[in-house]
Amino acid sequence: MSSIGWTEPPLNAERLALARELHISPVTAQILLNRGIDTAAKARAFLYPDPVNLISPEELPGLTAAGERVIQAIQKGEKILIHGDYDVDGLAATAIILETLARLGVEAEAYIPERLSEGYGLKEKGLKRALELNCSLVLTVDCGITSVKEAGIAREQGLDLIITDHHRPGTSLPEAVAVVNPWLTPGLPPLCGAGVAFKLAQFLSKRFHLPAPDGVAAGWVLDLAALATIADAVPLVGENRLLVQLGLKAMARYPRPGLQALGEVAGLPAGEWTAREVAFGIVPRLNACGRLGSAFPALEILLTPSPQRAWELARHLQQENQSRRYMEESIAAEAETMAVAAMAEGAKGLVLAAEGWHPGVIGIIASRLVEKYRCPVVLIAVMGDRGRGSGRSLPGINLNEIFAGCSSHLLGFGGHALAGGLEIERRQIPAFREAFDRIVASLMAEAPPMPEIMPDAAVLFSQLDWELLRELESLAPFGEGNPPPLLVYNNARIKTARQVGNGGAHLKLTLSGEGRQMEAIGFNLQLPPEVSPGDRVDLAFYLERDNYLGKEGLRLSLAALRPSQPVPLATWSYKEQVAATATATCSTWPRQLTDALAAAPVARIILATSSAVRQCYNGLKRWEGTENNFLPIPPWIGGKSLNRLLNERRSLITCHPFWSFEAVRGREASVVSFLVQEIEEKRSLIKLQPRCAPEQLMLFREPLPLLMGLLAEGQKVLLYERDGVQMVEAAKRLRGEVKDVSVAVDAFSDPRHLLLAREEALSGRMPLLIARREVPAWFYPADAVVFNYFPDSPEEVELALPLVEKTPRVYIRTLEEDWRPTDWRRELIFFYRQLKIGTGNGSRLYIMNNKGYHLRWYLAIFEELGLIQVENRGTDLAIKLIPVTGRTNLMDSRRYRQLLAETEISRQFYRQIAGGR
């Protein structure tokens, strides 16, 4: 498997408002918008089926005239022949009319042409059969709209003809008593043939005042209308969706003996079936006999009231389906060999032909080859000096146009953009293949490359829960025009990957992201060669129920994966969304900072503590994304590194007294913390004013009761932990302790995740987010901010507040014992002695450059005082002591003075919050 391409999922601005109004996830709202459902009223109609929303039969052109002629025939005792078709749509449509007429006391006749000897459509043989049976009225279902010649024959023979069809009309309509077809009036739903027949049944039911099961006229054949709508792959939106929704319920409530028997042989579960179960369990068995011979057994099983007869017919159809599958497998293997050879020779499209192929199954095989080779495919079953072909194509490459361009080599052809059929003389096949390949090559060169899959929405792992699954399932029935929702997760890390199943056919992954671990299965997928465990990938998948060994869980069913790819930040930034929702009354530090940056160029942000430097940098990096022009200068950066960074000439985030303030010239300004008192007021200074007074901060001892109370009040809670390890541990603990509440972790490594998390919170679906102190969650619209530790300074509290309109309540966990300052002088003396031991005899000491910022701060102090020399050696720091003769005063180091200043700020903050209570 190579990486599969896909378009970036849409991100509609309207989805949050729709999610709030319907109390659904923004993910579900996006999928509704993708389906053209852009209001709450449309969404409710889509989600909750109501028979009153069915269109009136009289809206179909010609239906009233058709109905009146049928009523006339009933009243006069005329015999009626229903001319159907051999596929499920035609068979169900035939059964709908026959059953409806039977309820009116009319025993009509039926004619179904054979696929092999007659082919599709209204046939002269069927008209002759009507005359033999003394019928005076012929009513077509699912065929006849292009049968101009046959309509003329019917008129010459004295037969009245009613045509009901759903296929696209030709340039001229057949002459008939009535022609019923949704295509004849713009704006009507694209019903299948049985859908049109159902409307005629409804018209007759109303006129004869027949009972309406569950409030639906002709509701006794609603199951057949749903069956055919699923089988014919018409768009499952609007009227078609409603027919399937109501029809699937009717199948379960009033089980038809034939469908019940077919479900048993297919192994379908009891209860209400899904559209997918009907499509893959019932439809192939009904189609099988029509593909191989006479379709009348399939019609009989739809009509029989006898469970015994239904079971006999179901077993017969099961055998026919197995024969069809064996035949299909044999032809598919032969066609695959031919396809490999053709592609090796450089073919752009595939035209494969052979004797012994059955015309009834080659279309299915052509579809599979299109999926595999991503090019138009035609398979031709050769019989004697002629061949009958079936073709399939890709979106954007019109198969009907290709056939038209090759028409000089064909006896006839028909179909539409993606599927069609043809007849050809055997001797013309090589010339047709050459012409077909030439036209396909031209069209594929002109057509833009189509993505192989088109996802519906991007998601977070924290959004994947039972509530979202239930919402996605409520979008069913799925089918043409309403496919199962395909979701995308960006930037997941592969922890493990292995092939499982028979012959290692399936891919099983363990994935990590947002502090969570997820399992995924890709059926008939392989890990792309450019991807391996440890890599970051983007996933396209379906969220499904998984019942393994009786234990129900959630499963990611992979459709594709690829190496993680960046997207334009502007598409996914939460910056504009915050700017659109925030007001001038919001003056938290993040808001003051972002307002200052928007107003004028800022040269420096000067804070009082080094931890605030990290917070501010990480917050602005998330806010500005790739546009972030700020460079953090903390006191643990040594002299050489500091000079190198300053040469980059970027705006600085630093702290005082480590950094001595210099006035900035021109239009550039400096943003300064209110805690930095030594800097005199200047016109170019913008002061960050405190938002949280000490007396407003609330203390707590145990986090769980506090969190439970806040969540019970409907508050959105932002919980800060001291570091990433404690953040993940807290999430695991709270997921077990706080039931029925979604617990999210701010381990978001992608700008897309920030926007999705903010939306999820604004929609009310992310009530609790756990973050770590160094990376503030400005994007999260918290009502309450909880520190599950004691912050070091007021700056840490101020910078942890989110960009919200109203300053949230702030809760701080009290220390278990009194705060005691660190004796930094003693710490540094001890550390220096250790360095002397490690660098004995003038050797260098190598230290991993990942031992924490305090160790690097100590080294930077000694380097500043001229006591050591520090060099970067890859991932190591090489330390060499410099001989000194006199005493060294630690106060000569700006970095040491910064350490003392921060300690004093922490002491005063503790006294203000805890000591004064």
Side-chain angles (χ1 to χ4, degrees):
M1 168 192 171
S2 60
S3 297
I4 293 178
W6 63 75
T7 56
E8 202 61 37
L11 184 69
N12 292 66
E14 307 88 350
R15 69 192 213 166
L16 180 56
L18 187 62
R20 282 171 155 173
E21 188 169 358
L22 294 171
H23 304 289
I24 59 176
S25 167
V27 174
T28 309
Q30 180 64 64
I31 296 166
L32 290 171
L33 289 168
N34 297 349
R35 308 291 189 264
I37 301 159
D38 54 4
T39 67
K42 291 180 182 178
R44 292 187 182 98
F46 185 84
L47 296 171
Y48 311 114
D50 189 338
V52 302
N53 292 325
L54 289 169
I55 65 170
S56 169
E58 288 81 1
E59 291 186 41
L60 268 66
L63 192 137
T64 300
E68 295 294 349
R69 180 62 184 91
V70 173
I71 292 171
Q72 178 186 332
I74 293 171
Q75 292 171 340
K76 290 184 177 181
E78 297 178 63
K79 291 196 68 176
I80 305 172
L81 181 134
I82 312 303
H83 188 299
D85 190 31
Y86 44 72
D87 67 1
V88 172
D89 189 19
L91 294 169
T94 304
I96 285 171
I97 300 300
L98 289 174
E99 189 166 322
T100 300
L101 292 176
R103 286 178 178 258
L104 297 172
V106 178
E107 187 175 346
E109 303 291 343
Y111 184 83
I112 306 294
E114 291 198 5
R115 180 192 291 261
L116 297 181
S117 60
E118 297 177 80
Y120 164 78
L122 175 61
K123 298 300 178 183
E124 186 176 352
K125 187 176 178 181
L127 299 176
K128 290 180 179 179
R129 181 60 178 163
L131 293 172
E132 291 172 1
L133 295 170
N134 296 319
C135 296
S136 57
L137 176 62
V138 174
L139 190 156
T140 75
V141 290
D142 192 34
C143 63
I145 194 64
T146 59
S147 302
V148 176
K149 175 185 174 183
E150 288 77 9
I153 294 172
R155 187 176 62 256
E156 292 171 0
Q157 297 293 331
L159 288 171
D160 277 359
L161 180 65
I162 295 174
I163 291 176
T164 73
D165 199 355
H166 74 114
H167 295 95
R168 190 183 292 269
T171 54
S172 59
L173 294 177
E175 292 188 26
V177 172
V179 177
V180 185
N181 191 312
W183 281 100
L184 299 177
T185 298
L188 286 177
L191 298 169
C192 67
V196 177
F198 177 69
K199 291 301 172 183
L200 179 57
Q202 285 192 300
F203 180 89
L204 296 174
S205 174
K206 291 178 180 179
R207 286 293 296 271
F208 286 97
H209 306 291
L210 296 179
D214 299 320
V216 181
W220 55 84
V221 286
L222 195 53
D223 59 340
L224 297 179
L227 168 68
T229 302
I230 294 168
D232 217 48
V234 292
L236 287 188
V237 295
E239 183 82 1
N240 290 330
R241 174 181 172 82
L242 188 52
L243 287 174
V244 174
Q245 285 175 308
L246 298 172
L248 289 174
K249 294 183 183 301
M251 280 186 200
R253 191 176 297 122
Y254 313 110
R256 186 177 294 266
L259 294 182
Q260 196 171 23
L262 283 173
E264 290 178 13
V265 298
L268 295 183
E272 186 174 326
W273 295 331
T274 66
R276 178 180 176 84
E277 288 169 333
V278 171
F280 289 94
I282 304 298
V283 171
R285 288 162 175 80
L286 286 170
N287 267 330
C289 58
R291 291 187 182 278
L292 303 182
S294 172
F296 268 99
L299 177 62
E300 184 183 355
I301 199 172
L302 294 178
L303 291 169
T304 181
S306 167
Q308 177 60 36
R309 180 58 180 158
W311 177 246
E312 294 169 359
L313 289 166
R315 291 175 62 189
H316 170 71
L317 295 182
Q318 176 75 349
Q319 292 172 354
E320 291 283 275
N321 189 51
Q322 289 175 342
S323 299
R324 187 267 307 170
R325 289 175 62 183
Y326 295 145
M327 184 183 298
E328 189 180 303
E329 290 172 4
S330 174
I331 297 173
E334 188 176 354
E336 173 66 20
T337 301
M338 297 166 69
V340 170
M343 297 303 285
E345 294 175 2
K348 301 300 182 183
L350 293 174
V351 175
L352 312 175
E355 291 185 344
W357 287 0
H358 198 291
V361 299
I362 55 177
I364 300 172
I365 301 166
S367 295
R368 294 178 185 168
L369 293 175
V370 168
E371 291 180 11
K372 182 170 184 178
Y373 292 103
R374 309 300 298 172
C375 69
V377 177
V378 175
L379 267 61
I380 301 174
V382 180
M383 297 165 285
D385 60 354
R386 290 198 175 191
R388 182 180 295 177
S390 184
R392 300 291 186 270
S393 188
L394 297 165
I397 301 179
N398 192 308
L399 186 64
N400 208 47
E401 291 180 4
I402 299 174
F403 285 171
C406 305
S407 59
S408 61
H409 305 294
L410 303 176
L411 295 172
F413 68 91
H416 50 82
L418 296 180
L422 59 83
E423 291 194 14
I424 188 172
E425 290 184 346
R426 180 177 190 149
R427 61 184 180 85
Q428 288 285 351
I429 292 176
F432 168 68
R433 180 183 290 116
E434 184 178 339
F436 183 89
D437 196 71
R438 184 173 59 253
I439 296 173
V440 168
S442 174
L443 291 175
M444 293 185 77
E446 296 172 1
M450 295 292 292
E452 297 184 41
I453 57 175
M454 298 185 70
D456 280 291
V459 296
L460 302 168
F461 275 169
S462 56
Q463 292 174 302
L464 304 181
D465 55 21
W466 289 106
E467 187 173 10
L468 178 63
L469 180 62
R470 285 190 289 270
E471 287 183 8
L472 298 182
E473 289 177 337
S474 74
L475 303 177
F478 300 120
E480 185 70 24
N482 184 39
L486 182 60
L487 307 177
V488 161
Y489 185 83
N490 295 292
N491 220 17
R493 187 179 296 280
I494 299 179
K495 295 193 70 174
T496 63
R498 57 193 177 99
Q499 298 299 138
V500 298
N502 187 18
H506 313 308
L507 175 63
K508 188 169 180 59
L509 298 178
T510 301
L511 304 158
S512 64
E514 305 168 42
R516 291 184 65 180
Q517 190 166 293
M518 302 290 291
E519 302 293 325
I521 184 74
F523 294 106
N524 298 310
L525 292 183
Q526 303 285 323
L527 195 67
E530 66 271 34
V531 173
S532 58
D535 291 346
R536 290 193 176 274
V537 292
D538 298 335
L539 314 165
F541 63 92
Y542 302 98
L543 183 63
E544 297 178 346
R545 293 177 183 269
D546 182 28
N547 288 290
Y548 182 69
L549 299 177
K551 185 178 180 181
E552 192 172 42
L554 296 176
R555 178 176 72 185
L556 309 189
S557 181
L558 292 176
L561 63 91
R562 68 185 183 190
S564 186
Q565 299 180 6
V567 294
L569 183 69
T571 306
W572 288 93
S573 173
Y574 76 94
K575 184 176 178 179
E576 279 67 34
Q577 189 187 82
V578 171
T581 57
T583 67
T585 61
C586 175
S587 56
T588 60
W589 269 28
R591 183 63 180 180
Q592 292 178 47
L593 277 168
T594 53
D595 281 348
L597 295 178
V602 171
R604 298 187 185 109
I605 299 173
I606 303 177
L607 304 166
T609 61
S610 55
S611 60
V613 172
R614 297 196 305 274
Q615 276 183 287
C616 185
Y617 173 73
N618 287 325
L620 286 176
K621 184 178 179 181
R622 284 176 149 193
W623 172 260
E624 298 286 352
T626 55
E627 302 170 5
N628 184 23
N629 192 41
F630 280 92
L631 186 68
I633 304 293
W636 52 83
I637 292 181
K640 291 183 180 179
S641 298
L642 179 60
N643 292 332
R644 177 177 52 80
L645 292 173
L646 292 178
N647 287 333
E648 296 186 20
R649 298 189 179 279
R650 290 162 61 186
S651 300
L652 305 180
I653 306 174
T654 187
C655 51
H656 183 83
F658 161 66
W659 188 266
S660 60
F661 179 78
E662 297 174 4
V664 180
R665 297 177 181 178
R667 296 176 58 246
E668 293 184 325
S670 290
V671 177
V672 181
S673 166
F674 74 96
L675 288 175
V676 181
Q677 302 294 341
E678 292 84 353
I679 297 177
E680 61 182 79
E681 295 291 338
K682 297 179 182 293
R683 187 177 61 180
S684 60
L685 287 183
I686 301 171
K687 277 279 189 177
L688 292 174
Q689 300 298 334
R691 188 66 183 172
C692 296
E695 62 272 11
Q696 295 175 314
L697 305 178
M698 290 165 277
L699 300 180
F700 69 94
R701 287 191 176 276
E702 293 298 328
L704 187 58
L706 172 65
L707 294 175
M708 295 290 285
L710 293 172
L711 293 170
E713 294 173 8
Q715 303 289 297
K716 292 185 286 291
V717 180
L718 174 56
L719 173 65
Y720 279 105
E721 293 288 346
R722 189 173 290 276
D723 55 42
V725 173
Q726 292 183 16
M727 175 181 70
V728 173
E729 290 177 352
K732 291 179 181 178
R733 183 173 63 254
L734 288 172
R735 285 182 183 128
E737 294 174 338
V738 185
K739 302 296 185 182
D740 301 322
V741 172
S742 175
V743 178
V745 174
D746 184 8
F748 304 126
S749 57
D750 191 294
R752 293 166 282 201
H753 295 168
L754 303 180
L755 178 56
L756 295 176
R758 178 175 175 81
E759 276 194 328
E760 188 78 349
L762 289 172
S763 70
R765 301 290 288 270
M766 188 182 284
L768 176 59
L769 177 69
I770 308 177
R772 60 196 187 279
R773 67 188 300 186
E774 290 189 2
V775 186
W778 293 356
F779 63 90
Y780 183 77
D783 303 305
V785 176
V786 178
F787 293 87
N788 198 25
Y789 63 94
F790 202 94
D792 287 340
S793 71
E795 287 183 336
E796 184 173 342
V797 175
E798 297 285 356
L799 283 167
L801 300 182
L803 280 152
V804 290
E805 298 181 11
K806 180 181 178 183
T807 302
R809 290 181 284 173
V810 177
Y811 299 85
I812 295 176
R813 187 170 186 175
T814 57
L815 296 173
E816 295 182 1
E817 55 185 27
D818 289 339
W819 182 87
R820 290 185 176 86
T822 302
D823 186 340
W824 296 116
R825 181 182 179 85
R826 176 178 293 182
E827 288 273 330
L828 287 164
I829 292 173
F830 175 79
F831 185 66
Y832 183 72
R833 288 172 177 169
Q834 295 300 311
L835 289 179
K836 290 182 71 174
I837 295 172
T839 58
N841 301 320
S843 62
R844 295 182 184 271
L845 175 67
Y846 291 89
I847 302 175
M848 292 290 289
N849 191 15
N850 63 352
K851 296 298 184 182
Y853 72 91
H854 265 121
L855 180 143
R856 287 181 287 148
W857 197 337
Y858 295 169
L859 293 174
I861 291 172
F862 294 151
E863 186 181 28
E864 183 184 3
L865 294 172
L867 298 176
I868 63 172
Q869 179 182 345
V870 181
E871 294 181 3
N872 283 303
R873 298 286 181 88
T875 59
D876 293 339
L877 296 175
I879 315 299
K880 182 179 181 181
L881 259 63
I882 299 175
V884 292
T885 56
R887 293 175 63 86
T888 301
N889 187 354
L890 284 173
M891 293 302 292
D892 291 339
S893 167
R894 289 181 299 157
R895 292 170 173 81
Y896 180 68
R897 294 199 301 272
Q898 180 70 41
L899 200 59
L900 296 180
E902 292 189 21
T903 302
E904 178 60 20
I905 289 173
S906 294
R907 185 187 68 81
Q908 292 183 11
F909 184 57
Y910 176 77
R911 288 185 62 185
Q912 288 174 329
I913 303 304
R917 298 292 174 95

